[in-house]
Each structure stands twice: as structure tokens, then as C-alpha cells.
Amino acid sequence: SPNERQELVSRAFVTLADTLVDDYDVIDLLDRLVGFCVELLPTDAAGIVLGDARRELRAVAASGEAAHLMELLQLQADEGPCLDCFQTATAVSVADLTKAGDRWPSFVAAVEQPTDFQSVHALPLRRRGRAIGALNLFGGAAGLLPQQDLALGQALADVATIGILQEQAIRRGEVLGEQLQLALNSRVIIEQAKGVMAQYGGITTEVAFERLRQYVRSHELRLSEVARRIAGREFALAEIIPPPGSSSRRR
């Protein structure tokens, strides 16, 4: 219903705004952003790419493996909606990827087999006319998103941008390289933690990550910090995953 949607939108903005403090978890911010996009918008997957100090794009967040693959395909081909969006700091909408071969021949050719996505909407993470990255929305069916949904997606991206940048860096027009590196380092640690959890519980890494996210959010903890403790064998995994052979009861 409209009221339920409005409540979800409000919760998303409150959650993202809560990152605007001196000490925040940038990877958790980006992970929450892509999750909210899939929850609030008529899109099947979402991902984020950020530019480093040399303006080279790196994939830093995705709602799932398929979205991450779509980001990597664009970066490897050095062409695609997210690159155009980043370079121009304007939104790029592709209603039907199969008809975009003339514009991005390498990317479109690579997409035909590995994924089922047919549409892409790239929204800039920007401040004062300069893009620091792009939010990518991937649809399983061809077609454009309604303008009101694109506006909501852009608003979410704008709030996230404020969380990524510090005011001094904004005035210089530069991306905080250390923030990007922090995100990349945190992602590596999270992958290690997923592996530890999967081995412990006899579950897939996808399920492990979902359990980890549920735990840190329900306990209001930092995603990267808990992942770091798990990867360092400093966390009682029974808090999150029942030991093999036990009941499924979880705290």
C-alpha cells in the first residue's frame, strides 16, 4: 500500500542518514543502500561502483552475485551504462540491452550469456556536478523505470554520497581514497568471514552472508567489525549459526 511504501522509504532514509557521523562503516552503508534499492524500487538487483583517486572505477557493493558480475563485465569491457554515467555525472537508462550493441559492443556481447538482465539504469553518486561513482539498477525484463522511481533511486544515491565524502574532500572535488580502500579491505574480510561461517555451519556462503547481515542489524553492530572478529576466529559463531547437530534455535 502507499502508506507501507512511505514507511519503508522513511526507514531507508533514516538508516542512511544515521551514517553521517565521524565514525561509520562505509561498507555497511553501501550494502544497506543496494538492499534498499531492491526493496523499494521495481528492480531485481543493484550494485555500486566508486572511482578511486585516479578516477578508475572499482566494484564495491552488490545485492547479489549476478549484479556483481554485471559490474565486472562493464569494468572489464571498459564500457557500459555505469562508465558513461560516471564520466558524465548524469543518469543513463537502457530499456533493452539487446538493442544497445552499437553503443557498447563489447559489454553487450559479454552480457548475452552470463546473466539474464535485460535493462540497466545507472544513477550517479555525485556532489556539485562531479560523479564519485554510480548506482546501477538491473532489471530482468526490458523497460524503463517510472520517473518517480528513478527520482527515489537518485535520492538514495545522493544520501549515500554524503555519507562517503567528507566536506573538505567535497570542496577539493576529490574522492576520499582511504574510504574506497577501506571499503575494498572490508569486502575482503567479509568474504573471509563468509567462508569461515560456511565451513562451520555446513551452509553456502550466500546463506552465511545473509545470517551475518541479520545478526549485525538485529544487534546494532558494525558489519565489518563482526566480520573481522569472525575471520580472526575471535567470535563465537554459535551466536549466529547453530553448531552442526544442534537445534535450529538462534539468539
Side-chain angles (χ1 to χ4, degrees):
S1 70
N3 288 339
E4 290 175 340
R5 177 179 167 84
Q6 184 59 46
E7 183 176 341
L8 289 174
V9 170
S10 298
R11 178 169 60 84
F13 279 103
V14 168
T15 300
L16 293 174
D18 281 345
T19 65
L20 304 182
V21 294
D22 291 337
D23 181 27
Y24 65 91
D25 189 342
V26 65
I27 197 68
D28 189 48
L29 164 70
L30 301 180
D31 182 68
R32 286 175 181 272
L33 173 61
V34 295
F36 281 134
C37 288
V38 175
E39 183 179 8
L40 296 173
L41 302 173
T43 190
D44 297 299
I48 294 174
V49 294
L50 290 180
D52 62 18
R54 296 189 300 269
R55 301 278 298 168
E56 294 180 4
L57 286 175
R58 303 282 294 276
V60 295
S63 61
E65 293 301 321
H68 184 57
L69 176 59
M70 286 289 284
E71 292 181 324
L72 293 181
L73 290 175
Q74 293 182 75
L75 300 183
Q76 291 169 358
D78 196 28
E79 64 180 30
C82 80
L83 278 81
D84 285 9
C85 174
F86 177 68
Q87 292 164 358
T88 63
T90 58
V92 177
S93 293
V94 185
D96 189 345
L97 273 176
T98 63
K99 299 179 180 179
D102 291 342
R103 185 171 183 180
W104 305 298
S106 297
F107 169 57
V108 172
V111 167
E112 289 181 355
Q113 295 301 324
T115 76
D116 295 324
F117 295 124
Q118 297 185 34
S119 62
V120 181
H121 297 78
L123 304 174
L125 272 65
R126 63 190 175 194
R127 180 66 173 174
R128 299 182 179 174
R130 183 178 177 86
I132 67 165
L135 167 64
N136 301 287
L137 307 175
F138 304 108
L144 294 175
L145 289 179
Q147 191 58 44
Q148 63 181 11
D149 290 316
L150 287 175
L152 176 56
Q154 186 63 64
L156 289 167
D158 290 344
V159 172
T161 302
I162 297 171
I164 294 168
L165 297 179
Q166 294 179 355
E167 187 58 34
Q168 183 179 5
I170 292 171
R171 288 196 297 269
R172 294 198 307 265
E174 299 174 357
V175 175
L176 284 179
E178 59 268 29
Q179 288 290 53
L180 174 60
Q181 194 59 51
L182 176 61
L184 296 174
N185 292 345
S186 295
R187 179 54 61 182
V188 171
I189 293 171
I190 288 171
E191 292 301 319
Q192 294 172 349
K194 286 162 57 178
V196 171
M197 294 173 63
Q199 183 178 23
Y200 172 83
I203 56 179
T204 67
T205 54
E206 292 259 3
V207 172
F209 187 42
E210 185 57 34
R211 296 275 183 86
L212 175 59
R213 284 196 292 198
Q214 291 174 354
Y215 179 82
V216 297
R217 291 175 185 176
S218 64
H219 290 75
E220 298 184 352
L221 299 172
R222 291 166 61 109
L223 178 62
S224 62
E225 178 58 30
V226 174
R228 187 172 293 107
R229 291 173 58 196
I230 292 173
R233 307 303 201 277
E234 301 171 355
F235 190 91
L237 286 176
E239 289 281 318
I240 306 176
I241 305 171
S246 71
S247 68
S248 61
R249 182 179 61 85
R250 291 171 54 204
R251 289 179 58 180

